[in-house]
Amino acid sequence: MAAHGPARKMTARPGGPLTGTAQVPGDKSISHRSLILGAMAVGETRVSGLLEGQDVLDTAKAMAALGAEVTRLDDGAWSVHGVGVGGFAEPEDVIDCGNSGTGVRLIMGAVATSPIAVTFTGDASLRSRPMGRVTDPLALFGARTVGRAGGRLPLTLVGAEAPVPVDYATPMASAQVKSAVLLAGLNAPGQTVVTERTGTRDHTERMLRGFGAEVETIRTDDGFRITLTGQSELRPQTIAVPRDPSSAAFPVCAALIVPGSDVLVPNIGLNPTRAGLFGTLQEMGADLIYENLREEGGEPVADLRARFSPDMKGIAVPPERAASMIDEYPILSVVAAFAEGETVMSGVHELRVKESDRIDAMAVGLRACGVTVDETEDSLTVHGCGPGGVPGGAEAAARLDHRIAMSFLICGMAAKSPVSVDDAAPISTSFPDFERLMGALGATLEREDA
Ligand code: S3P
C-alpha cells in the first residue's frame, strides 16, 4: 500500500555551481482538481501538463474506479470522460490514495453527496493524518463515516441520499477542507457556503467557475465567504496545468545557496495564494527576480531567475503569510540555515499534520547537520550559520515525506559535507523528475538501494 517503491537512500554532495534551465512539473493542486472536476463534468475534459506524480496518478485511478473514463493520450495529454455531478458509481474495491492528503480529502468531498459507499485508505503517512477535519463538515450534508479512532484511515464514507446544503466556517486554514465542502456542495440543492478566516489557495473556486459552476467569493471583515450554488451541470474544459511553484521552490532555493549558481525556472504560476515563499526570499536578500512577468489563464506567471546569494539575512516570517507558503517551510528552513541570523517561522502548527510532522522532521534533521534550531508547537526558528557555512555530514529521515527528502538533498548540495536521506522514493509523489533535473543543473546526487 506504499505510494512509491522500496526505500531508496540518496546522498547529495557539495559541488560546483548549478546553472541552466529547470522545467519543473505541473502543479499538483491543479492536477488533482483537473481530474476530479473533469470526472464530475458531462463530456470530455482534456488536460495537458498534468503532473504525472504518484499522488495524481492515484487520483486518476480513483476517478476511474468511480466510473469516469480516464486515459493518457499519445501526445501526453489526459482525457477524462466525466459522469456528471451526482453520477459517481460505487467502486468495487477500496480507494487507495497512497500518500496524498489532497487526493483523499477532495475525493471524500466529491462523493459525500452521492448515495454510494466508498472505503478509503493510503500509505502509513496518510493513515496517520487527521480526516475528521473533512468528515465533520461532510456529516452536515448527511454523509456518514465509519473509521478508526481519531478519524484515521482506513474509513468508509456513505454518501448522503438526500443531501442538504451547508454553511461552514473552516476551523483551520485549509484549502483541502474548503475544497471538500465545495465539492460536496455541487450535488446538494441550494447554496453551500464556506467561510475562512485566512485566504487559502483558491484553485477550486477558480476552476469551478471555469467549469461553469456558480461560485461567488466575497471579502468580509473577518476573511472570505464563498458561496456555491449546487446541482448545476459542470461543462467539460480544456486545461493547461501551469508549473508548480512548490516544486519550483527546490531548484530556486538550491541556486540561492550553492556558490556561483544561476538558474532559470520558467513558467511558474504566481497566484498570490501560493507565492509567499518568493517574496520571503526576496526580503531575506535573495537575488531572485521575476522575468517576463505576464498573465496566463487569468493568473500571473513569470520565469524565475535565481542566483547565488551569499548575503541573505534571517527574518521573522509573518504568521498571516503561512497559508500562501505552507508547503515551502521545509525548504525555507534550509535556506535559513545558510543565511545570517535568525529566521523565525511562526503560526505554522498546520505543518505538524502534513505528510509528516514537518516542524519536527526539519528540526531533527537540521540539528544533525550542525544547525541550531528551536521549535514550539506553532513555530520553528532556525539560527543561520552565515558565512561559516552549514556543516552537513548527516543522514536525515524523510518520514515518507517528499518535501522533507528534497529539502535535505538541497541542503547537501551546499553544505560543507554530504547530506543523505534514508528514503528518496517519496519524491516521486510530486516531483518524479527531481533527480534528473537537479543533476542536469550540475548537482551531485548518488543513490543506493537501502
Ligand atoms: C493543498 C492544500 C494544502 C497543501 C497541500 C495541497 C490543496 O493542504 O499543504 O499540499 O491542493 O488543496 P491543507 O489544506 O491541509 O493546508
Side-chain angles (χ1 to χ4, degrees):
M1 224 169 290
H4 44 74
R8 194 151 55 72
K9 180 172 165 175
M10 193 176 279
T11 300
R13 295 186 183 282
L18 305 176
T19 53
T21 300
Q23 302 282 4
V24 302
D27 190 278
K28 183 151 72 72
S29 293
I30 295 175
S31 294
H32 282 295
R33 287 160 173 81
S34 299
L35 296 172
I36 296 169
L37 291 175
M40 298 178 86
V42 177
E44 186 190 10
T45 287
R46 286 268 177 131
V47 190
S48 60
L50 187 87
L51 164 64
E52 293 179 344
Q54 193 57 48
D55 277 10
V56 176
L57 298 178
D58 286 335
T59 288
K61 230 186 285 165
M63 292 304 106
L66 288 161
E69 206 178 293
V70 185
T71 331
R72 187 183 195 277
L73 305 172
D74 289 345
D75 64 357
W78 286 69
S79 158
V80 184
H81 284 271
V83 294
V85 168
F88 283 135
E90 191 164 82
E92 286 174 13
D93 202 350
V94 170
I95 300 277
D96 186 348
C97 289
N99 191 250
S100 181
T102 306
V104 76
R105 292 184 176 128
L106 268 57
I107 298 169
M108 279 188 199
V111 302
T113 44
S114 292
I116 55 173
V118 187
T119 301
F120 293 93
T121 193
D123 71 0
S125 157
L126 194 57
R127 290 196 310 272
S128 74
R129 297 179 67 185
M131 294 298 144
R133 54 177 56 202
V134 169
T135 56
D136 288 350
L138 297 181
L140 304 174
F141 286 95
R144 286 177 295 124
T145 45
V146 189
R148 289 168 58 215
R152 305 287 197 260
L153 298 178
L155 66 75
T156 298
L157 187 150
V158 183
E161 246 167 67
V164 291
V166 157
D167 187 336
Y168 191 70
T170 56
M172 68 289 289
S174 167
Q176 293 174 359
V177 174
K178 170 177 67 177
S179 301
V181 173
L182 290 172
L183 293 175
L186 282 174
N187 199 35
Q191 295 193 320
T192 286
V193 179
V194 191
T195 52
E196 54 178 3
R197 233 172 297 141
T198 313
T200 59
R201 66 191 68 194
D202 59 358
H203 305 303
T204 302
E205 300 91 300
R206 286 173 186 259
M207 292 179 72
L208 277 169
R209 283 185 203 110
F211 275 84
E214 211 178 295
V215 182
E216 192 185 54
T217 303
I218 298 174
R219 226 206 139 114
T220 63
D221 286 344
D222 33 52
F224 295 88
R225 182 178 169 83
I226 303 135
T227 305
L228 169 115
T229 304
Q231 292 188 336
S232 69
E233 208 167 84
L234 297 186
R235 288 191 303 265
Q237 296 298 297
T238 300
I239 300 171
V241 178
R243 294 179 193 271
D244 198 325
S246 299
S247 296
F250 294 101
V252 162
C253 290
L256 300 179
I257 59 175
V258 175
S261 297
D262 184 349
V263 169
L264 187 71
V265 189
N267 300 326
I268 301 305
L270 293 174
N271 178 319
T273 64
R274 295 287 301 281
L277 173 74
F278 304 124
T280 300
L281 293 170
Q282 286 165 337
E283 276 175 38
M284 293 173 75
D287 184 352
L288 170 64
I289 53 171
Y290 299 156
E291 291 184 349
N292 194 15
L293 190 59
R294 59 204 181 270
E295 200 159 283
E296 273 175 27
E299 303 241 11
V301 171
D303 305 335
L304 305 182
R305 177 131 188 226
R307 280 176 279 216
F308 176 53
S309 304
D311 299 321
M312 287 187 287
K313 304 275 185 287
I315 62 165
V317 184
E320 58 275 13
R321 197 180 292 167
S324 70
M325 51 180 290
I326 193 66
D327 291 334
E328 281 66 75
Y329 284 97
I331 188 62
L332 175 64
S333 65
V334 168
V335 173
F338 287 84
E340 199 173 352
E342 233 177 63
T343 296
V344 183
M345 297 163 263
S346 50
V348 294
H349 52 276
E350 275 293 305
L351 295 181
R352 297 224 178 254
V353 289
K354 296 294 179 189
E355 285 83 331
S356 69
D357 175 342
R358 286 180 172 165
I359 294 180
D360 193 59
M362 291 312 299
V364 171
L366 283 173
R367 281 184 198 125
C369 290
V371 182
T372 303
V373 181
D374 303 319
E375 62 174 291
T376 68
E377 187 51 31
D378 190 34
S379 74
L380 179 68
T381 299
V382 175
H383 302 262
C385 298
V390 173
E395 178 176 306
R399 305 192 190 188
L400 288 178
D401 189 330
H402 52 133
R403 299 198 203 283
I404 299 300
M406 288 187 278
S407 295
F408 281 110
L409 290 172
I410 299 292
C411 184
M413 292 171 199
K416 290 193 266 191
S417 300
V419 175
S420 303
V421 290
D422 63 339
D423 184 12
I427 293 173
S428 66
T429 61
S430 70
F431 202 155
D433 204 25
F434 176 81
E435 186 182 356
R436 193 205 57 77
L437 183 146
M438 293 308 303
L441 295 177
T444 307
L445 288 172
E446 289 163 9
R447 58 158 107 179
E448 127 192 7
D449 290 324

